[in-house]
């Protein structure tokens, strides 16, 4: 068992699940009771660990090119069907929780509630609903627009009243919106602070999309709870600022660097599946790995996240994000697993429910062939997944369905 806390694996252990919760954890030799009354999964060559948590997805985006035209051309029904397929594909690959940080209006709330009610299988969903951005700003077609501090605060109040779990604000421009620049801040520190205060007054955490260093600085000064991407982009490439990095650590701000499976591909492999401008941008940003490594060394609360839904990033390949954290960022296998389990649960404010293997927690569990504390790719060899105690077997068909062009 790898319990998700970062501790070394425990050998020859057992876990008892009842009523969707973990009832007992300990040495298999100490297990009592009548196993004939239970479904027994005996897996001597496997590792059991908490279900994985992807801290940043977009279930409504096609994972091809999330251009405004493609997104706007799809109907609400098409987007919702796509979201169901991608959520279930991720679940079968071991992702028992996803945080969706940008979708059309509040359509995903119905999906979240149906999964929670047991009407539909799927991962636990933590939802932002529409991201908040400037008029014509990054992801304006997938969010709500506001310019002033007053408008931004009012927008936060509206999304909270609608029932979102977290608030997402675009602190800088992005790469996928024409006319938007990832280096340029979209909001001042004062405007972001108004949004943070409004979110906190509603009992919600606020996470900020930020690529450029100036936008990261504004987000830190505003007191956001988490920074998405945290790319440290400057005019000449990666521009890591150690003093600002230390402020992030000192303030306890989480960092969600969004390294998808495509980060493992060679330039030739990227060129085969992505447009030349996208490939060139990704290759220019190689310094992000070193910047994230510096953040880890400073003691930052780094969580695993993929940005699934963006070009060539899929929900069912999330285990490869942990491979990126090990092979590109230099994290240990246990640290990478913790970034996708207990650390992510803490960042998403669900640590009381999931993220570790402990008595009383929800039975969100992942069983894989091999030992991922020695070989992180073992996470890609899924034997079965438990979500709230319900057993799900790997389904190649579900992953293939999620890859079908939709909308």
């Amino acid at each position: 068992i790898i319990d998700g806390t970062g501790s070394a694996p425990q050998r020859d252990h057992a876990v008892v699940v009842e009523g969707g919760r973990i009832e007992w954890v300990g040495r298999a030799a100490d297990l009592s009771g009548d196993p004939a009354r239970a479904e027994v999964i005996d897996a001597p060559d496997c590792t059991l660990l908490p279900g994985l948590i992807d801290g940043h997805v977009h279930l409504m985006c096609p994972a091809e090119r999330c251009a405004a035209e493609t997104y706007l051309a799809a109907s609400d029904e098409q987007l919702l069907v796509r979201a169901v397929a991608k959520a279930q594909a991720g679940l079968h690959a071991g992702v028992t929780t996803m945080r969706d940080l940008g979708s059309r209006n509040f359509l995903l709330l119905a999906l979240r509630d149906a999964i929670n009610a047991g009407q539909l299988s799927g991962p636990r969903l933590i939802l932002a609903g529409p991201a908040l951005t400037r008029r014509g700003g990054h992801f304006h077609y997938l969010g709500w627009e506001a310019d002033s501090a007053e408008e931004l605060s009012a927008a936060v109040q509206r999304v909270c009243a609608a029932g979102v779990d977290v608030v997402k604000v675009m602190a800088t421009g992005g790469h996928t919106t024409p006319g938007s620049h990832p280096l340029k801040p979209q909001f001042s520190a004062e405007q972001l602070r108004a949004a943070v205060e409004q979110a906190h007054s509603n009992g919600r955490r606020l996470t900020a999309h930020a690529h450029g260093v100036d936008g990261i600085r504004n987000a830190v000064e505003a007191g956001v709870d988490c920074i998405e991407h945290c790319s440290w982009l400057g005019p000449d490439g990666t521009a890591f600022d150690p003093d600002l990095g230390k402020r992030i650590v000192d303030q306890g701000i989480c960092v969600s660097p969004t390294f998808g499976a495509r980060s493992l591909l060679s330039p030739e492999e990227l060129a085969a599946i992505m447009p030349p401008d996208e490939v060139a941008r990704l290759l220019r940003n190689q310094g992000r790995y070193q910047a994230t490594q510096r953040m880890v060394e400073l003691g930052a609360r780094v969580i695993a996240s993929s940005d699934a839904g963006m070009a060539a990033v899929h929900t069912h390949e999330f285990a490869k994000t942990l491979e990126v954290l090990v092979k590109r960022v230099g994290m240990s296998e246990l640290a990478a697993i913790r970034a996708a389990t207990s650390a992510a649960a803490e960042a998403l404010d669900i640590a009381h429910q999931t993220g570790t293997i402990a008595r009383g927690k929800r039975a969100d569990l992942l069983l894989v062939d091999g030992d991922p504390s020695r070989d992180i790719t073992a996470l890609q060899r899924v034997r079965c997944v438990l979500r709230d105690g319900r057993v799900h077997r790997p389904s190649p068909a579900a992953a293939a369905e999620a890859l079908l062009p939709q909308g």
Side-chain angles (χ1 to χ4, degrees), residues 17-43:
V17 173
E18 185 174 356
R21 292 189 180 275
I22 297 171
E23 288 296 321
W24 185 88
V25 183
R27 295 193 317 134
D30 298 333
L31 182 62
S32 61
D34 182 8
R37 297 178 56 196
E39 176 184 357
V40 177
I41 301 175
D42 191 16

Side-chain angles (χ1 to χ4, degrees), residues 357-380:
I357 296 181
R359 188 175 185 275
K361 293 288 183 76
R362 303 304 305 181
D364 294 350
L365 302 168
L366 169 61
L367 187 69
V368 299
D369 287 316
D371 181 359
S373 72
R374 298 181 178 182
D375 173 16
I376 199 67
T377 66
L379 294 175
Q380 300 167 37

Side-chain angles (χ1 to χ4, degrees), residues 66-386:
C66 191
E69 295 79 7
T70 302
Y71 182 83
L72 290 170
S75 67
D76 288 355
E77 293 80 5
Q78 288 170 321
L79 292 178
L80 197 51
V81 167
R82 177 185 294 155
V84 172
K86 292 186 179 298
Q88 293 181 342
L91 176 65
H92 285 93
V95 184
T96 55
T97 300
M98 298 178 183
R99 182 172 63 162
D100 188 289
L101 292 179
S103 60
R104 181 178 292 176
N105 294 322
F106 304 103
L107 294 175
L108 290 183
L109 270 62
L111 175 58
R112 177 198 66 188
D113 296 345
I115 292 172
N116 289 344
Q119 299 166 350
L120 194 68
S121 68
R124 188 183 315 278
L125 296 181
I126 308 299
L127 304 178
L132 307 182
T133 188
R134 292 193 71 86
R135 284 181 174 78
H138 181 49
F139 259 33
H140 63 88
Y141 52 90
L142 200 144
W144 282 4
E145 297 168 296
D147 285 336
S148 67
E150 293 75 17
E151 289 178 344
L152 190 57
S153 181
V156 171
Q157 178 61 37
R158 288 177 64 196
V159 297
C160 289
V164 302
D165 304 296
V166 62
V167 176
K168 164 81 173 294
V169 176
M170 299 297 192
T172 72
H175 299 286
T176 58
T177 304
S180 173
H181 200 300
L183 288 180
K184 295 182 178 179
Q186 293 200 146
F187 298 103
S188 67
E190 291 74 21
Q191 290 170 327
L192 290 174
R193 188 175 298 112
V196 170
E197 291 173 353
Q198 187 65 60
H200 288 178
S201 71
N202 280 275
R204 308 305 202 279
R205 297 185 179 185
L206 185 144
T207 190
H209 156 111
H211 285 299
V213 174
D214 290 340
I216 294 173
R217 183 173 293 105
N218 286 347
V220 172
E221 291 181 1
V224 303
D225 299 291
C226 186
I227 300 176
E228 305 302 317
H229 313 299
C230 200
S231 305
W232 297 102
L233 291 183
D236 301 315
T238 305
F240 179 72
D241 181 340
D243 293 332
L244 184 56
K246 188 174 185 306
R247 287 185 62 188
I248 291 174
V249 174
D250 291 344
Q251 290 181 213
I253 298 172
C254 295
V255 175
S256 171
T258 61
F259 294 130
R262 67 189 183 190
S263 296
L264 297 170
L265 301 179
S266 68
E268 293 74 22
E269 290 171 321
L270 287 171
I273 60 173
M274 298 179 68
D277 59 332
E278 284 280 307
V279 174
R281 176 180 66 78
L282 291 175
L283 295 178
R284 285 195 304 270
N285 290 352
Q286 297 295 301
R288 285 188 63 206
Y289 306 124
Q290 289 71 38
T292 304
Q293 184 180 47
R294 296 284 300 278
M295 291 299 300
V296 171
E297 292 169 351
L298 285 172
R301 300 169 62 198
V302 175
I303 67 171
S305 54
S306 70
D307 213 359
M310 297 299 101
V313 185
H314 303 282
T315 54
H316 67 276
E317 293 183 323
F318 178 63
K320 292 184 178 181
T321 288
L322 278 74
E323 188 178 351
V324 175
L325 293 178
V326 171
K327 295 182 177 179
R328 297 283 193 267
V329 177
M331 296 175 71
S332 70
E333 285 83 356
L334 285 173
I337 291 169
R338 184 176 183 277
T341 54
S342 63
E346 292 164 6
L348 274 57
D349 199 21
I350 54 172
H352 60 291
Q353 300 181 65
T354 189
T356 58
I357 296 181
R359 188 175 185 275
K361 293 288 183 76
R362 303 304 305 181
D364 294 350
L365 302 168
L366 169 61
L367 187 69
V368 299
D369 287 316
D371 181 359
S373 72
R374 298 181 178 182
D375 173 16
I376 199 67
T377 66
L379 294 175
Q380 300 167 37
R381 301 190 290 274
V382 176
R383 178 74 66 90
C384 72
V385 182
L386 276 72

